Structure formats: C-alpha cells, structure tokens
Amino acid sequence: TTPEALKAAAAPVKLPPAPKSLVTVPSNEQMVHELMLDENFALSTEGLEAGLSGHGVDLEEFALALERNEFAPLLSIVDTVRARLAALTPNRKDLARALDERLDTALLAQELSAGAFTVGDLYSLIKFMGERLLALQAPARQAATEAWLVELHDAASASQVRWTRLAPRAFDHVLRELAFIDIDMANYHLSVLSQHLIGSKGIEYLRTKFEARWGSGEYQRSSQGFPARTEAWLLAARDSLSSSTVPGAHQLGAGASDCVAEALVSSIFHNPSDDEAAFSRELPETLREHDAERLTVARRQLASFAVLAVLNIVMTQVLRVHESISMPPASAELKRAQDKLYGLVHDETQALRSYEDLTADVVAVTAELVEAVRGGNGAELSPEGRATLEALLRQAASGTLSNTVQRQFAAVVRKSLKDPAHSSEQLLKKISLAPWRTEINDACDVLRKVFDLNLKVHGTVYGAILGGARSG
C-alpha cells in the first residue's frame, strides 16, 4: 500500500460549515475531533476571557482614556461591535445597513471631538446594541440583558452623571454577551455536526482532512513518502518493543496498535524535564494537530504523579526507619499529609517543581505529621530523620528510586491503553500511588480516548509505515 493509494481511498465526507461569525471557537475539524472523543462535548463559557479584556483592553485604562478625552479605543470598540453584529447575520443586508448607520464611527468621532456626545447619546447607542443582542441571544440569556438595559437606563437618567463613567462597563457587557452568543451558536453547530457523525463518517472526515494536509506538502515527507515525524516516532517504538526490558513490553508484539501505545507512552515519559514547547514539537503529525495541548496537560499530570510517588515513599520510609512511625493507609493523619503532598505537586498555576525546590515543604509536611501522630507536646521530626529526608530528596531527581517509579508508572499507563479493564491497584500500591488511583485513572482515560481515536483515524497509515519498514 502506497501513501498515494491511501489518500485515493479516502471517502469524502461533507459537513455543514461552521458559522463564519465565530471568533472565539475552534475550527470545524477541531470540533469534530472533540465530538469523536466525547459525544457530549460542548464549549463552556467558564473561564472565557470575554468583554474588554478579551479584546486586549483593560477596563480601568479604558476609563482613564475617556476621562482624558482620548477616544480612539472607544471608536475601535464600536467598530468591532458593528462588525461582529453584522457577521452574526451575514444574509441580512438591511441589518448591515442599519448597523452602518447607527454605529457610524466617523460621525461618532465628530460628535466626540466637538464635545456634543451626551449620556443620552450613549444610552441610545448601547440600547441599539442591546436590542440586537436580544434578537440573537438564546432565550435563557435574554432576561439578564433586559434587566441590564433597565439598570443602564436608570443610571443614565441620574442627575449630573457623566457618560464617560458609564461607557466602560456598558461596552464590556456588550462584548461579553457577544462572546456568549458565539459560544451558543458554536454549541448549536456542534449539535448539527453530531448528527453527521454516525458510524464511520466522523473518522473518515478527520482522516480526509489529515491526508489533505499530507498531500499538500504541509508535512515533511520521509524517503517512503510518509509524514516524517510520524514514521520516525512509530518505527522507534517498534524497535524499542523488539528489544525492550520494560515491564510488560515483551508481551505486546509489534502490530500498529502495540507500536502506537508504546510510542505514546514513550512520548509522555521520555525526557520529563523537557519544556512543554519541545514536547509538543516532537509529537508526530498525527497527534500534533489536535491533541498537542491535551497531551501536554496529561504529561504534566502524570509527571506530577511520578514525583508524588517519590515524595510519599521517601516520607513514609523516613517515618518508619527514623521515627518508628508506621500508619495504616486509612490513617486520617497520613491522609492529611498525603493531601498536602498532592497540593505541592498539582499546582496548575506553575510548572512542576523540582525535588530541591520541594524539599523544605516536604520536610514541613513530615514534621507536622510527626507532631500529629505523637499528640503534639513539642514532638518534632528528629535531626536524623530531617537530614535523611533532605538527602533523599536531593538525590531523588537522578536516583534509582525516581527511575524505578517512572518505569513502573509507565507500565501502569501502558497497560491502561491496551487493557482498560485491567486493574493496576497492586502496582499503584507498590509505588505508593494507590491513594490517588481515581485521579490517575481519570488521566489515563484521557490518554486512552486519544489513543483509540488516533488508531481509528490513522491506523491504515501506521500499518503501511510498519509494512514498508519490514519489507524494505
């Protein structure tokens, strides 16, 4: 099978185009990809950067600019609102003309320069925008917009109020609601797309899109004509399987599914100190397009669990050997300490901390645990225990314990890809990760969905790469 034959065999799948007005949502292809991973996928407004900030405008700075009679930001925002409202109804030429007339920035600039723009003019302008929002919004959002317009009317009617005091939050609200309309329209479009993803159509659509990029020369080609990074990624995994001493690897064989599983695990666990940009660049073309961010997050999560395992092992070892403290897994004091360790390594606001950076915090958590177990009264972590804990943590990054944990944890992830029903409880206990089995299973579930979809979309290409390598 040649690359050209694979592309020629791809069945065209047509889907309704995404609304052209959407400026805050993924492409049609990305939405199909997300639906194939999760049939209930929908875009959320939670955490959405909308309003003025979503357009790179600081609310306070905008207000200060108006007070200084600097109106360029205001004119730019009005023009943005006009363009976005027009784009939401592209077939209504009458509405486009009305928007051009009512949101005429040239006329507005003259009024502002002459000092002829009043609070009544602001309310009239915003009321017009609000009426257009009401016509476009989902019914569930309309009541809030109606109430907002009433509040704006009352504020504008107050004596001696300056329009420059009302404008910033008024335009912030308009832009925020426009972003919500985009999301609502995108979710409606997703529901339409889902009706077209029956059986293999979604797979065929994603495969066709990938092969179009491949055929257009977007990807560097290997000597055999395949995407170069994908071929190298897959063949390296096949070679690793044939000589690997990784637990469980010798049982896998070297089919496409086995090689992709090994390649994915290798990508996640190889060179964990590499920065995330480098990790994303090294992904194969078959994963880089739509899954790079998702896999980066999964890699970060799994790396933090590997660190957490080392911290938990070292802490309990020091407690047992130097403090003569052994606790059952269900111990409330131990659970609180483990929760604190989890918090130290699962901070999504910052990069994964080094063992050296974690040392002081881990010592503090261990000391608190000693005091709690011994009932306070001045009980402390012994000098020997503290020194040993610090030494073990300094050695952890390059030590045998870290490498062993990494290897055994990789085996857990590898097994979850190939055999989702298999319980990894015993192996997680062995590396002190049993308390977080639910969180680990959730992270593995994300990887497994990516793995399954990736095989369905690109399995034929993978098989051809492996077949060509064996025959050549």
Side-chain angles (χ1 to χ4, degrees):
T1 303
T2 65
E4 290 70 22
L6 290 172
K7 292 193 286 289
V13 177
K14 293 185 178 180
L15 295 176
K20 294 181 180 179
S21 61
L22 301 178
V23 297
T24 57
V25 299
S27 67
N28 215 9
E29 184 182 352
Q30 181 71 52
M31 286 192 280
V32 172
H33 185 86
E34 298 300 329
L35 281 170
M36 296 302 295
L37 289 171
D38 177 7
E39 63 181 10
N40 297 314
F41 171 75
L43 296 168
S44 172
T45 58
E46 184 178 353
L48 175 69
E49 187 175 11
L52 290 169
S53 64
H55 289 74
V57 179
D58 180 80
L59 186 67
E60 295 302 322
E61 290 181 3
F62 180 55
L64 291 173
L66 294 180
E67 294 292 342
R68 294 191 300 265
N69 293 328
E70 297 173 3
F71 302 125
L74 171 64
L75 295 170
S76 176
I77 289 168
V78 170
D79 193 54
T80 294
V81 171
R82 179 200 59 75
R84 291 187 65 180
L85 285 170
L88 287 166
T89 51
N91 298 322
R92 292 289 302 275
K93 303 301 181 184
D94 57 326
L95 291 178
R97 286 193 296 271
L99 288 166
D100 289 340
E101 292 173 4
R102 292 298 302 275
L103 305 181
D104 184 343
T105 52
L107 178 59
L108 178 59
Q110 293 177 12
E111 294 175 342
L112 291 167
S113 297
F117 192 75
T118 67
V119 68
D121 294 326
L122 174 69
Y123 175 71
S124 178
L125 189 70
I126 298 297
K127 180 174 180 289
F128 172 75
M129 295 178 182
E131 289 170 346
R132 293 305 312 138
L133 290 176
L134 286 168
L136 294 164
Q137 283 178 317
R141 298 194 190 277
Q142 291 174 338
T145 297
E146 290 170 347
W148 166 70
L149 286 172
V150 170
E151 290 176 8
L152 182 64
H153 176 269
D154 293 344
S157 300
S159 60
Q160 298 183 341
V161 66
R162 290 169 55 85
W163 71 265
T164 53
R165 300 291 299 273
L166 299 179
R169 296 200 179 278
F171 283 106
D172 185 67
H173 186 95
V174 170
L175 290 171
R176 191 176 306 278
E177 291 303 317
L178 279 170
F180 292 162
I181 289 171
D182 277 353
I183 296 297
D184 289 341
M185 289 184 66
N187 284 331
Y188 172 75
H189 183 63
L190 280 167
S191 70
V192 174
L193 288 180
S194 65
Q195 298 172 19
H196 292 261
L197 300 176
I198 299 172
S200 62
K201 288 185 177 180
I203 300 296
E204 293 169 356
Y205 175 79
L206 294 174
R207 184 183 298 130
T208 300
K209 286 290 187 179
F210 173 81
E211 289 170 351
R213 287 191 294 275
W214 169 15
S216 70
E218 182 174 332
Y219 305 137
Q220 180 182 352
R221 294 189 179 212
S222 69
S223 60
Q224 295 195 30
F226 295 107
R229 181 62 200 150
T230 297
E231 181 179 297
W233 179 76
L234 194 65
L235 295 182
R238 185 205 60 184
D239 294 343
S240 175
L241 283 174
S242 66
S243 59
S244 180
T245 58
V246 172
H250 63 282
Q251 301 173 359
L252 291 175
S257 175
D258 305 320
C259 289
V260 173
E262 184 62 26
L264 185 54
V265 170
S266 179
S267 292
I268 293 292
F269 287 96
H270 182 62
N271 291 337
S273 61
D274 281 356
D275 64 59
E276 295 183 347
F279 167 75
S280 182
R281 285 194 304 270
E282 289 302 310
L283 286 173
E285 297 86 350
T286 51
L287 286 169
R288 191 188 306 152
E289 195 74 32
H290 299 304
D291 292 307
E293 182 177 352
R294 191 181 348 263
L295 291 176
T296 297
V297 172
R299 175 178 179 259
R300 188 188 311 147
Q301 290 175 332
L302 294 172
S304 67
F305 281 119
V307 172
L308 181 59
V310 172
L311 300 184
N312 197 27
I313 290 170
V314 168
M315 181 182 73
T316 54
Q317 178 181 334
V318 167
L319 289 174
R320 185 177 63 255
V321 174
H322 293 279
E323 309 299 327
S324 299
I325 295 176
S326 296
M327 289 167 288
S331 165
E333 292 86 357
L334 179 60
K335 181 66 169 63
R336 281 194 295 270
Q338 290 172 335
D339 287 343
K340 290 177 181 178
L341 293 181
Y342 181 86
L344 292 177
V345 300
H346 282 80
D347 185 349
E348 295 183 359
T349 64
Q350 62 182 19
L352 183 62
R353 297 166 64 186
S354 67
Y355 287 107
E356 182 178 1
D357 185 43
L358 287 164
T359 297
D361 288 327
V362 175
V363 169
V365 170
T366 308
E368 289 176 12
L369 179 54
V370 170
E371 184 176 358
V373 171
R374 290 177 175 164
N377 299 321
E380 295 181 349
L381 178 64
S382 68
E384 296 81 3
R386 181 183 297 270
T388 301
L389 185 57
E390 292 173 346
L392 289 173
L393 289 172
R394 282 196 301 270
Q395 300 166 8
S398 57
T400 302
L401 175 59
S402 179
N403 292 335
T404 300
V405 166
Q406 191 94 344
R407 185 172 63 253
Q408 293 182 341
F409 191 35
V412 171
V413 176
R414 183 183 295 106
K415 192 67 175 178
S416 77
L417 295 180
K418 295 298 297 175
D419 186 7
H422 175 77
S423 173
S424 299
E425 181 77 16
Q426 293 304 313
L427 189 50
L428 288 176
K429 283 183 179 179
K430 187 176 180 180
I431 55 175
S432 293
L433 282 176
W436 302 282
R437 57 185 173 276
T438 299
E439 292 86 351
I440 291 170
N441 287 338
D442 289 344
C444 288
D445 188 53
V446 171
L447 280 183
R448 186 164 53 249
K449 288 179 179 179
V450 171
F451 170 72
D452 289 343
L453 177 61
N454 190 262
L455 269 180
K456 290 174 183 176
V457 174
H458 303 296
T460 306
V461 173
Y462 292 148
I465 289 173
L466 293 170
R470 283 195 293 267
S471 63

